[in-house]
PDB file of all heavy atoms in Angstrom:
ATOM      1  N   GLY H   1       0.818  -1.213  -0.001  1.00  0.00           N
ATOM      2  CA  GLY H   1       0.001  -0.001   0.000  1.00  0.00           C
ATOM      3  C   GLY H   1       0.849   1.259   0.001  1.00  0.00           C
ATOM      4  O   GLY H   1       0.580   2.212  -0.767  1.00  0.00           O
ATOM      5  N   LEU H   2       1.875   1.288   0.834  1.00  0.00           N
ATOM      6  CA  LEU H   2       2.746   2.461   0.893  1.00  0.00           C
ATOM      7  C   LEU H   2       3.540   2.633  -0.395  1.00  0.00           C
ATOM      8  O   LEU H   2       3.757   3.763  -0.852  1.00  0.00           O
ATOM      9  CB  LEU H   2       3.699   2.344   2.081  1.00  0.00           C
ATOM     10  CG  LEU H   2       3.064   2.443   3.476  1.00  0.00           C
ATOM     11  CD1 LEU H   2       4.107   2.195   4.558  1.00  0.00           C
ATOM     12  CD2 LEU H   2       2.420   3.818   3.670  1.00  0.00           C
ATOM     13  N   ALA H   3       3.962   1.519  -0.994  1.00  0.00           N
ATOM     14  CA  ALA H   3       4.720   1.598  -2.248  1.00  0.00           C
ATOM     15  C   ALA H   3       3.866   2.181  -3.365  1.00  0.00           C
ATOM     16  O   ALA H   3       4.331   3.034  -4.142  1.00  0.00           O
ATOM     17  CB  ALA H   3       5.238   0.218  -2.634  1.00  0.00           C
ATOM     18  N   LEU H   4       2.617   1.733  -3.450  1.00  0.00           N
ATOM     19  CA  LEU H   4       1.714   2.260  -4.480  1.00  0.00           C
ATOM     20  C   LEU H   4       1.448   3.747  -4.289  1.00  0.00           C
ATOM     21  O   LEU H   4       1.282   4.496  -5.256  1.00  0.00           O
ATOM     22  CB  LEU H   4       0.389   1.490  -4.461  1.00  0.00           C
ATOM     23  CG  LEU H   4       0.446   0.044  -4.966  1.00  0.00           C
ATOM     24  CD1 LEU H   4      -0.864  -0.677  -4.679  1.00  0.00           C
ATOM     25  CD2 LEU H   4       0.755   0.007  -6.464  1.00  0.00           C
ATOM     26  N   ARG H   5       1.461   4.177  -3.052  1.00  0.00           N
ATOM     27  CA  ARG H   5       1.116   5.561  -2.749  1.00  0.00           C
ATOM     28  C   ARG H   5       2.328   6.498  -2.780  1.00  0.00           C
ATOM     29  O   ARG H   5       2.211   7.654  -3.224  1.00  0.00           O
ATOM     30  CB  ARG H   5       0.454   5.632  -1.372  1.00  0.00           C
ATOM     31  CG  ARG H   5       0.036   7.037  -0.940  1.00  0.00           C
ATOM     32  CD  ARG H   5      -0.653   7.005   0.414  1.00  0.00           C
ATOM     33  NE  ARG H   5      -1.019   8.328   0.865  1.00  0.00           N
ATOM     34  CZ  ARG H   5      -2.113   8.974   0.511  1.00  0.00           C
ATOM     35  NH1 ARG H   5      -2.968   8.394  -0.309  1.00  0.00           N
ATOM     36  NH2 ARG H   5      -2.368  10.189   0.976  1.00  0.00           N
ATOM     37  N   LEU H   6       3.491   6.009  -2.344  1.00  0.00           N
ATOM     38  CA  LEU H   6       4.609   6.912  -2.085  1.00  0.00           C
ATOM     39  C   LEU H   6       5.786   6.793  -3.050  1.00  0.00           C
ATOM     40  O   LEU H   6       6.522   7.758  -3.222  1.00  0.00           O
ATOM     41  CB  LEU H   6       5.126   6.690  -0.649  1.00  0.00           C
ATOM     42  CG  LEU H   6       4.116   6.938   0.476  1.00  0.00           C
ATOM     43  CD1 LEU H   6       4.745   6.635   1.825  1.00  0.00           C
ATOM     44  CD2 LEU H   6       3.599   8.378   0.434  1.00  0.00           C
ATOM     45  N   LEU H   7       5.977   5.634  -3.666  1.00  0.00           N
ATOM     46  CA  LEU H   7       7.137   5.498  -4.550  1.00  0.00           C
ATOM     47  C   LEU H   7       6.902   6.227  -5.871  1.00  0.00           C
ATOM     48  O   LEU H   7       5.801   6.180  -6.424  1.00  0.00           O
ATOM     49  CB  LEU H   7       7.441   4.026  -4.839  1.00  0.00           C
ATOM     50  CG  LEU H   7       8.000   3.189  -3.687  1.00  0.00           C
ATOM     51  CD1 LEU H   7       8.308   1.788  -4.162  1.00  0.00           C
ATOM     52  CD2 LEU H   7       9.240   3.841  -3.093  1.00  0.00           C
ATOM     53  N   PRO H   8       7.914   6.902  -6.399  1.00  0.00           N
ATOM     54  CA  PRO H   8       7.765   7.584  -7.699  1.00  0.00           C
ATOM     55  C   PRO H   8       7.566   6.563  -8.809  1.00  0.00           C
ATOM     56  O   PRO H   8       8.357   5.636  -8.955  1.00  0.00           O
ATOM     57  CB  PRO H   8       9.088   8.333  -7.851  1.00  0.00           C
ATOM     58  CG  PRO H   8      10.054   7.583  -6.991  1.00  0.00           C
ATOM     59  CD  PRO H   8       9.267   7.045  -5.839  1.00  0.00           C
ATOM     60  N   GLN H   9       6.504   6.723  -9.573  1.00  0.00           N
ATOM     61  CA  GLN H   9       6.191   5.763 -10.624  1.00  0.00           C
ATOM     62  C   GLN H   9       6.900   6.159 -11.914  1.00  0.00           C
ATOM     63  O   GLN H   9       6.484   7.067 -12.622  1.00  0.00           O
ATOM     64  CB  GLN H   9       4.666   5.706 -10.854  1.00  0.00           C
ATOM     65  CG  GLN H   9       3.882   5.202  -9.657  1.00  0.00           C
ATOM     66  CD  GLN H   9       4.238   3.773  -9.305  1.00  0.00           C
ATOM     67  OE1 GLN H   9       4.336   2.919 -10.162  1.00  0.00           O
ATOM     68  NE2 GLN H   9       4.432   3.532  -8.006  1.00  0.00           N
ATOM     69  N   ASP H  10       8.024   5.490 -12.198  1.00  0.00           N
ATOM     70  CA  ASP H  10       8.753   5.788 -13.415  1.00  0.00           C
ATOM     71  C   ASP H  10       8.077   5.145 -14.617  1.00  0.00           C
ATOM     72  O   ASP H  10       7.316   4.190 -14.493  1.00  0.00           O
ATOM     73  CB  ASP H  10      10.203   5.305 -13.310  1.00  0.00           C
ATOM     74  CG  ASP H  10      10.311   3.977 -12.562  1.00  0.00           C
ATOM     75  OD1 ASP H  10       9.267   3.392 -12.250  1.00  0.00           O
ATOM     76  OD2 ASP H  10      11.442   3.544 -12.306  1.00  0.00           O
ATOM     77  N   LYS H  11       8.362   5.684 -15.782  1.00  0.00           N
ATOM     78  CA  LYS H  11       7.739   5.186 -17.003  1.00  0.00           C
ATOM     79  C   LYS H  11       8.377   3.872 -17.438  1.00  0.00           C
ATOM     80  O   LYS H  11       9.517   3.591 -17.134  1.00  0.00           O
ATOM     81  CB  LYS H  11       7.891   6.218 -18.132  1.00  0.00           C
ATOM     82  CG  LYS H  11       7.179   7.537 -17.854  1.00  0.00           C
ATOM     83  CD  LYS H  11       7.384   8.500 -19.016  1.00  0.00           C
ATOM     84  CE  LYS H  11       6.681   9.816 -18.754  1.00  0.00           C
ATOM     85  NZ  LYS H  11       6.887  10.779 -19.883  1.00  0.00           N
ATOM     86  N   GLU H  12       7.571   3.072 -18.163  1.00  0.00           N
ATOM     87  CA  GLU H  12       8.128   1.851 -18.733  1.00  0.00           C
ATOM     88  C   GLU H  12       9.201   2.223 -19.751  1.00  0.00           C
ATOM     89  O   GLU H  12       9.028   3.136 -20.543  1.00  0.00           O
ATOM     90  CB  GLU H  12       7.027   1.012 -19.400  1.00  0.00           C
ATOM     91  CG  GLU H  12       5.980   0.490 -18.424  1.00  0.00           C
ATOM     92  CD  GLU H  12       5.002  -0.455 -19.086  1.00  0.00           C
ATOM     93  OE1 GLU H  12       5.294  -0.878 -20.212  1.00  0.00           O
ATOM     94  OE2 GLU H  12       3.975  -0.764 -18.476  1.00  0.00           O
ATOM     95  N   GLY H  13      10.299   1.503 -19.720  1.00  0.00           N
ATOM     96  CA  GLY H  13      11.434   1.860 -20.571  1.00  0.00           C
ATOM     97  C   GLY H  13      11.437   1.125 -21.888  1.00  0.00           C
ATOM     98  O   GLY H  13      11.326  -0.092 -21.932  1.00  0.00           O
ATOM     99  N   SER H  14      11.595   1.902 -22.944  1.00  0.00           N
ATOM    100  CA  SER H  14      11.716   1.278 -24.264  1.00  0.00           C
ATOM    101  C   SER H  14      13.171   0.952 -24.578  1.00  0.00           C
ATOM    102  O   SER H  14      13.472   0.287 -25.562  1.00  0.00           O
ATOM    103  CB  SER H  14      11.166   2.238 -25.338  1.00  0.00           C
ATOM    104  OG  SER H  14      11.852   3.479 -25.280  1.00  0.00           O
ATOM    105  N   ASN H  15      14.099   1.463 -23.716  1.00  0.00           N
ATOM    106  CA  ASN H  15      15.520   1.250 -23.969  1.00  0.00           C
ATOM    107  C   ASN H  15      16.043  -0.037 -23.328  1.00  0.00           C
ATOM    108  O   ASN H  15      17.246  -0.266 -23.303  1.00  0.00           O
ATOM    109  CB  ASN H  15      16.335   2.443 -23.449  1.00  0.00           C
ATOM    110  CG  ASN H  15      16.172   2.622 -21.947  1.00  0.00           C
ATOM    111  OD1 ASN H  15      15.218   2.118 -21.360  1.00  0.00           O
ATOM    112  ND2 ASN H  15      17.097   3.355 -21.343  1.00  0.00           N
ATOM    113  N   ALA H  16      15.134  -0.843 -22.785  1.00  0.00           N
ATOM    114  CA  ALA H  16      15.581  -2.080 -22.140  1.00  0.00           C
ATOM    115  C   ALA H  16      16.055  -3.100 -23.171  1.00  0.00           C
ATOM    116  O   ALA H  16      16.874  -3.958 -22.865  1.00  0.00           O
ATOM    117  CB  ALA H  16      14.444  -2.668 -21.303  1.00  0.00           C
ATOM    118  N   GLY H  17      15.543  -2.996 -24.400  1.00  0.00           N
ATOM    119  CA  GLY H  17      15.916  -3.968 -25.424  1.00  0.00           C
ATOM    120  C   GLY H  17      15.212  -5.295 -25.205  1.00  0.00           C
ATOM    121  O   GLY H  17      14.409  -5.465 -24.284  1.00  0.00           O
ATOM    122  N   ARG H  18      15.532  -6.240 -26.055  1.00  0.00           N
ATOM    123  CA  ARG H  18      14.946  -7.579 -25.926  1.00  0.00           C
ATOM    124  C   ARG H  18      15.619  -8.323 -24.787  1.00  0.00           C
ATOM    125  O   ARG H  18      16.789  -8.136 -24.496  1.00  0.00           O
ATOM    126  CB  ARG H  18      15.115  -8.346 -27.236  1.00  0.00           C
ATOM    127  CG  ARG H  18      14.397  -7.720 -28.423  1.00  0.00           C
ATOM    128  CD  ARG H  18      14.593  -8.542 -29.671  1.00  0.00           C
ATOM    129  NE  ARG H  18      14.054  -9.888 -29.525  1.00  0.00           N
ATOM    130  CZ  ARG H  18      14.110 -10.822 -30.469  1.00  0.00           C
ATOM    131  NH1 ARG H  18      14.711 -10.553 -31.628  1.00  0.00           N
ATOM    132  NH2 ARG H  18      13.592 -12.013 -30.262  1.00  0.00           N
ATOM    133  N   LEU H  19      14.836  -9.182 -24.163  1.00  0.00           N
ATOM    134  CA  LEU H  19      15.377  -9.984 -23.070  1.00  0.00           C
ATOM    135  C   LEU H  19      16.424 -10.951 -23.598  1.00  0.00           C
ATOM    136  O   LEU H  19      16.202 -11.668 -24.571  1.00  0.00           O
ATOM    137  CB  LEU H  19      14.253 -10.761 -22.379  1.00  0.00           C
ATOM    138  CG  LEU H  19      14.689 -11.730 -21.260  1.00  0.00           C
ATOM    139  CD1 LEU H  19      15.362 -10.974 -20.126  1.00  0.00           C
ATOM    140  CD2 LEU H  19      13.491 -12.522 -20.739  1.00  0.00           C
ATOM    141  N   ASP H  20      17.575 -10.951 -22.956  1.00  0.00           N
ATOM    142  CA  ASP H  20      18.665 -11.856 -23.312  1.00  0.00           C
ATOM    143  C   ASP H  20      18.370 -13.216 -22.685  1.00  0.00           C
ATOM    144  O   ASP H  20      18.800 -13.516 -21.572  1.00  0.00           O
ATOM    145  CB  ASP H  20      19.986 -11.272 -22.795  1.00  0.00           C
ATOM    146  CG  ASP H  20      21.181 -12.169 -23.076  1.00  0.00           C
ATOM    147  OD1 ASP H  20      21.031 -13.110 -23.886  1.00  0.00           O
ATOM    148  OD2 ASP H  20      22.249 -11.933 -22.487  1.00  0.00           O
ATOM    149  N   VAL H  21      17.614 -14.055 -23.418  1.00  0.00           N
ATOM    150  CA  VAL H  21      17.164 -15.341 -22.885  1.00  0.00           C
ATOM    151  C   VAL H  21      18.349 -16.257 -22.594  1.00  0.00           C
ATOM    152  O   VAL H  21      18.418 -16.909 -21.548  1.00  0.00           O
ATOM    153  CB  VAL H  21      16.177 -16.016 -23.851  1.00  0.00           C
ATOM    154  CG1 VAL H  21      15.764 -17.383 -23.319  1.00  0.00           C
ATOM    155  CG2 VAL H  21      14.954 -15.132 -24.064  1.00  0.00           C
ATOM    156  N   ALA H  22      19.299 -16.312 -23.523  1.00  0.00           N
ATOM    157  CA  ALA H  22      20.474 -17.174 -23.314  1.00  0.00           C
ATOM    158  C   ALA H  22      21.242 -16.728 -22.070  1.00  0.00           C
ATOM    159  O   ALA H  22      21.677 -17.557 -21.257  1.00  0.00           O
ATOM    160  CB  ALA H  22      21.375 -17.129 -24.541  1.00  0.00           C
ATOM    161  N   GLY H  23      21.407 -15.418 -21.916  1.00  0.00           N
ATOM    162  CA  GLY H  23      22.092 -14.899 -20.743  1.00  0.00           C
ATOM    163  C   GLY H  23      21.352 -15.218 -19.458  1.00  0.00           C
ATOM    164  O   GLY H  23      21.964 -15.543 -18.435  1.00  0.00           O
ATOM    165  N   LEU H  24      20.008 -15.144 -19.507  1.00  0.00           N
ATOM    166  CA  LEU H  24      19.197 -15.446 -18.333  1.00  0.00           C
ATOM    167  C   LEU H  24      19.349 -16.906 -17.928  1.00  0.00           C
ATOM    168  O   LEU H  24      19.534 -17.220 -16.745  1.00  0.00           O
ATOM    169  CB  LEU H  24      17.721 -15.128 -18.612  1.00  0.00           C
ATOM    170  CG  LEU H  24      16.738 -15.509 -17.508  1.00  0.00           C
ATOM    171  CD1 LEU H  24      17.057 -14.766 -16.217  1.00  0.00           C
ATOM    172  CD2 LEU H  24      15.303 -15.225 -17.951  1.00  0.00           C
ATOM    173  N   ILE H  25      19.302 -17.800 -18.911  1.00  0.00           N
ATOM    174  CA  ILE H  25      19.425 -19.236 -18.620  1.00  0.00           C
ATOM    175  C   ILE H  25      20.801 -19.535 -18.028  1.00  0.00           C
ATOM    176  O   ILE H  25      20.924 -20.238 -17.016  1.00  0.00           O
ATOM    177  CB  ILE H  25      19.176 -20.063 -19.890  1.00  0.00           C
ATOM    178  CG1 ILE H  25      17.717 -19.919 -20.340  1.00  0.00           C
ATOM    179  CG2 ILE H  25      19.515 -21.532 -19.644  1.00  0.00           C
ATOM    180  CD1 ILE H  25      17.423 -20.559 -21.687  1.00  0.00           C
ATOM    181  N   LEU H  26      21.842 -18.997 -18.646  1.00  0.00           N
ATOM    182  CA  LEU H  26      23.202 -19.274 -18.182  1.00  0.00           C
ATOM    183  C   LEU H  26      23.462 -18.687 -16.794  1.00  0.00           C
ATOM    184  O   LEU H  26      24.015 -19.349 -15.915  1.00  0.00           O
ATOM    185  CB  LEU H  26      24.220 -18.726 -19.182  1.00  0.00           C
ATOM    186  CG  LEU H  26      24.362 -19.493 -20.502  1.00  0.00           C
ATOM    187  CD1 LEU H  26      25.220 -18.715 -21.480  1.00  0.00           C
ATOM    188  CD2 LEU H  26      24.973 -20.874 -20.250  1.00  0.00           C
ATOM    189  N   SER H  27      23.048 -17.420 -16.593  1.00  0.00           N
ATOM    190  CA  SER H  27      23.331 -16.774 -15.311  1.00  0.00           C
ATOM    191  C   SER H  27      22.535 -17.404 -14.182  1.00  0.00           C
ATOM    192  O   SER H  27      23.065 -17.657 -13.090  1.00  0.00           O
ATOM    193  CB  SER H  27      23.030 -15.272 -15.394  1.00  0.00           C
ATOM    194  OG  SER H  27      21.657 -15.045 -15.688  1.00  0.00           O
ATOM    195  N   SER H  28      21.246 -17.672 -14.428  1.00  0.00           N
ATOM    196  CA  SER H  28      20.417 -18.277 -13.382  1.00  0.00           C
ATOM    197  C   SER H  28      20.892 -19.687 -13.049  1.00  0.00           C
ATOM    198  O   SER H  28      20.952 -20.077 -11.877  1.00  0.00           O
ATOM    199  CB  SER H  28      18.950 -18.303 -13.817  1.00  0.00           C
ATOM    200  OG  SER H  28      18.440 -16.989 -13.948  1.00  0.00           O
ATOM    201  N   THR H  29      21.240 -20.458 -14.091  1.00  0.00           N
ATOM    202  CA  THR H  29      21.770 -21.805 -13.850  1.00  0.00           C
ATOM    203  C   THR H  29      23.066 -21.736 -13.049  1.00  0.00           C
ATOM    204  O   THR H  29      23.289 -22.523 -12.119  1.00  0.00           O
ATOM    205  CB  THR H  29      22.017 -22.534 -15.183  1.00  0.00           C
ATOM    206  OG1 THR H  29      20.791 -22.615 -15.910  1.00  0.00           O
ATOM    207  CG2 THR H  29      22.558 -23.935 -14.938  1.00  0.00           C
ATOM    208  N   GLY H  30      23.911 -20.785 -13.398  1.00  0.00           N
ATOM    209  CA  GLY H  30      25.178 -20.648 -12.703  1.00  0.00           C
ATOM    210  C   GLY H  30      25.005 -20.290 -11.238  1.00  0.00           C
ATOM    211  O   GLY H  30      25.591 -20.926 -10.351  1.00  0.00           O
ATOM    212  N   VAL H  31      24.195 -19.267 -10.968  1.00  0.00           N
ATOM    213  CA  VAL H  31      24.010 -18.820  -9.586  1.00  0.00           C
ATOM    214  C   VAL H  31      23.281 -19.887  -8.770  1.00  0.00           C
ATOM    215  O   VAL H  31      23.629 -20.164  -7.618  1.00  0.00           O
ATOM    216  CB  VAL H  31      23.246 -17.483  -9.550  1.00  0.00           C
ATOM    217  CG1 VAL H  31      22.999 -17.058  -8.110  1.00  0.00           C
ATOM    218  CG2 VAL H  31      24.027 -16.405 -10.277  1.00  0.00           C
ATOM    219  N   MET H  32      22.265 -20.523  -9.378  1.00  0.00           N
ATOM    220  CA  MET H  32      21.538 -21.586  -8.672  1.00  0.00           C
ATOM    221  C   MET H  32      22.444 -22.784  -8.399  1.00  0.00           C
ATOM    222  O   MET H  32      22.395 -23.377  -7.320  1.00  0.00           O
ATOM    223  CB  MET H  32      20.326 -22.022  -9.492  1.00  0.00           C
ATOM    224  CG  MET H  32      19.188 -21.028  -9.518  1.00  0.00           C
ATOM    225  SD  MET H  32      17.840 -21.556 -10.614  1.00  0.00           S
ATOM    226  CE  MET H  32      17.277 -23.033  -9.762  1.00  0.00           C
ATOM    227  N   GLY H  33      23.266 -23.151  -9.392  1.00  0.00           N
ATOM    228  CA  GLY H  33      24.162 -24.292  -9.215  1.00  0.00           C
ATOM    229  C   GLY H  33      25.143 -24.068  -8.084  1.00  0.00           C
ATOM    230  O   GLY H  33      25.346 -24.942  -7.232  1.00  0.00           O
ATOM    231  N   ILE H  34      25.737 -22.878  -8.043  1.00  0.00           N
ATOM    232  CA  ILE H  34      26.686 -22.577  -6.979  1.00  0.00           C
ATOM    233  C   ILE H  34      25.984 -22.482  -5.630  1.00  0.00           C
ATOM    234  O   ILE H  34      26.482 -22.990  -4.616  1.00  0.00           O
ATOM    235  CB  ILE H  34      27.431 -21.268  -7.304  1.00  0.00           C
ATOM    236  CG1 ILE H  34      28.352 -21.484  -8.504  1.00  0.00           C
ATOM    237  CG2 ILE H  34      28.234 -20.785  -6.099  1.00  0.00           C
ATOM    238  CD1 ILE H  34      29.039 -20.232  -8.987  1.00  0.00           C
ATOM    239  N   THR H  35      24.805 -21.861  -5.602  1.00  0.00           N
ATOM    240  CA  THR H  35      24.058 -21.721  -4.349  1.00  0.00           C
ATOM    241  C   THR H  35      23.686 -23.082  -3.774  1.00  0.00           C
ATOM    242  O   THR H  35      23.891 -23.349  -2.584  1.00  0.00           O
ATOM    243  CB  THR H  35      22.775 -20.893  -4.571  1.00  0.00           C
ATOM    244  OG1 THR H  35      23.137 -19.590  -5.046  1.00  0.00           O
ATOM    245  CG2 THR H  35      21.989 -20.746  -3.275  1.00  0.00           C
ATOM    246  N   TYR H  36      23.150 -23.967  -4.623  1.00  0.00           N
ATOM    247  CA  TYR H  36      22.775 -25.296  -4.131  1.00  0.00           C
ATOM    248  C   TYR H  36      24.011 -26.099  -3.729  1.00  0.00           C
ATOM    249  O   TYR H  36      24.023 -26.783  -2.700  1.00  0.00           O
ATOM    250  CB  TYR H  36      21.990 -26.067  -5.184  1.00  0.00           C
ATOM    251  CG  TYR H  36      21.676 -27.484  -4.733  1.00  0.00           C
ATOM    252  CD1 TYR H  36      20.712 -27.718  -3.769  1.00  0.00           C
ATOM    253  CD2 TYR H  36      22.388 -28.571  -5.236  1.00  0.00           C
ATOM    254  CE1 TYR H  36      20.453 -29.003  -3.321  1.00  0.00           C
ATOM    255  CE2 TYR H  36      22.134 -29.858  -4.805  1.00  0.00           C
ATOM    256  CZ  TYR H  36      21.155 -30.066  -3.843  1.00  0.00           C
ATOM    257  OH  TYR H  36      20.907 -31.337  -3.392  1.00  0.00           O
TER     258      TYR H  36
END
């Protein structure tokens, strides 16, 4: 409730580009593998 009311609502960014799916799979697998 406080976040919806008080945090500055920034605009959705068009400069984010496409999601790097390969990077996501590799990084998440890496961090999860080391964590486990």
Side-chain angles (χ1 to χ4, degrees):
L2 292 175
L4 289 170
R5 180 178 178 83
L6 300 178
L7 290 183
Q9 296 297 315
D10 38 7
K11 297 180 180 179
E12 296 186 13
S14 57
N15 61 340
R18 297 181 61 181
L19 176 62
D20 178 13
V21 177
L24 175 61
I25 293 173
L26 287 170
S27 61
S28 295
T29 301
V31 177
M32 287 176 65
I34 292 175
T35 300
Y36 176 74

